[in-house]
Amino acid sequence: IGAFLRDFEPLMKDLFRKPEKVKQACEALTPVLTQVGKATGKIAKETTGSEIVFCPFWYNTYLSPDVFREFHWPYAKEIITELADAGFTPLVNPQGRYDHLLDTFLELPEKEFIAWFDKTDLTEARDTIEDHACLAGGIPSSLLIGGSTNKVKKHVKKTVNELKTGGGFIFSTEFNAMGDAKIENVKAMTEAVRKHGQY
């Protein structure tokens, strides 16, 4: 609703002025977005063999935990669960911080989705989620853009060594992080992952 129909500011007002109408709109849109996810997942599988369906959201950064849990999470959870039940692998990407809402992921189908974080503390995410889901993330775009190759290598080594134990970890960049990254830093990151990511 906030991304395509009402925009951010009107929706923020609607949450307090017309909460029931917002919920009705969410209830109406949930099956539509679920079918869109299934359709894109089917196309991806037929063309690439991948069963991953990208499921991004960002209101976790702007809403209070209580408001997020009431107005956003129930519908996101339904979409993600239906995609998993249909045989797809939801790539759940809460953009921004999600540390304060990590427990919600324990409500999703166990070992049926990937939790891809950018600003969230991955160690805290692993401690909370444990092996309930595969974790993805690992390097901030700011480090690839403005850091040195030495800092990149140290960061990768530390992150991989902390999170690879037991498996279920995909080292990756943030969403849309590569555009301004230094080539030498991308190379350093790749080499460090290959070196320290061995089991």
Side-chain angles (χ1 to χ4, degrees), residues 84-156:
D85 289 346
F88 298 105
T89 302
L91 177 59
V92 186
N93 179 221
Q95 297 169 19
R97 300 205 71 86
Y98 206 73
D99 306 71
H100 56 305
L101 294 161
L102 285 168
D103 63 298
T104 59
F105 278 5
L106 297 174
E107 300 173 23
L108 297 175
E110 185 176 2
K111 299 181 180 178
E112 297 290 338
F113 67 101
I114 301 168
W116 182 20
F117 297 109
D118 52 15
K119 301 292 187 291
T120 300
D121 184 322
L122 288 177
T123 302
E124 183 177 347
R126 172 58 75 211
D127 290 344
T128 301
I129 299 172
E130 296 182 333
D131 63 350
H132 193 82
C134 177
L135 294 189
I139 192 163
S141 55
S142 58
L143 186 56
L144 292 174
I145 293 168
S148 66
T149 56
N150 190 46
K151 286 184 177 179
V152 169
K153 290 177 181 177
K154 286 183 177 179
H155 179 85
V156 171

Side-chain angles (χ1 to χ4, degrees), residues 12-137:
M12 292 301 100
K13 295 176 181 177
D14 292 343
L15 290 174
F16 295 96
R17 295 176 179 175
K18 307 171 184 178
E20 293 309 313
K21 285 191 175 182
V22 172
K23 290 180 180 179
Q24 288 172 6
C26 289
E27 289 167 2
L29 285 170
T30 295
V32 174
L33 294 175
T34 301
Q35 290 306 312
V36 169
K38 290 179 179 178
T40 57
K42 182 179 178 182
I43 292 169
K45 185 175 182 180
E46 291 173 352
T47 56
T48 70
S50 172
E51 297 180 340
I52 292 176
V53 177
F54 187 43
C55 301
F57 48 86
W58 47 90
Y59 276 86
N60 46 282
T61 301
Y62 303 104
L63 301 177
S64 71
D66 288 343
V67 173
F68 178 85
R69 291 173 191 271
E70 181 178 358
F71 289 94
H72 192 290
W73 179 244
Y75 312 104
K77 175 184 173 181
E78 183 175 338
I79 293 168
I80 295 164
T81 299
E82 285 204 33
L83 289 172
D85 289 346
F88 298 105
T89 302
L91 177 59
V92 186
N93 179 221
Q95 297 169 19
R97 300 205 71 86
Y98 206 73
D99 306 71
H100 56 305
L101 294 161
L102 285 168
D103 63 298
T104 59
F105 278 5
L106 297 174
E107 300 173 23
L108 297 175
E110 185 176 2
K111 299 181 180 178
E112 297 290 338
F113 67 101
I114 301 168
W116 182 20
F117 297 109
D118 52 15
K119 301 292 187 291
T120 300
D121 184 322
L122 288 177
T123 302
E124 183 177 347
R126 172 58 75 211
D127 290 344
T128 301
I129 299 172
E130 296 182 333
D131 63 350
H132 193 82
C134 177
L135 294 189

Side-chain angles (χ1 to χ4, degrees), residues 166-184:
F169 174 60
I170 300 170
F171 188 93
S172 73
T173 61
E174 298 174 349
F175 179 63
N176 283 341
M178 298 295 283
D180 297 318
K182 296 176 184 176
I183 293 174
E184 60 268 29

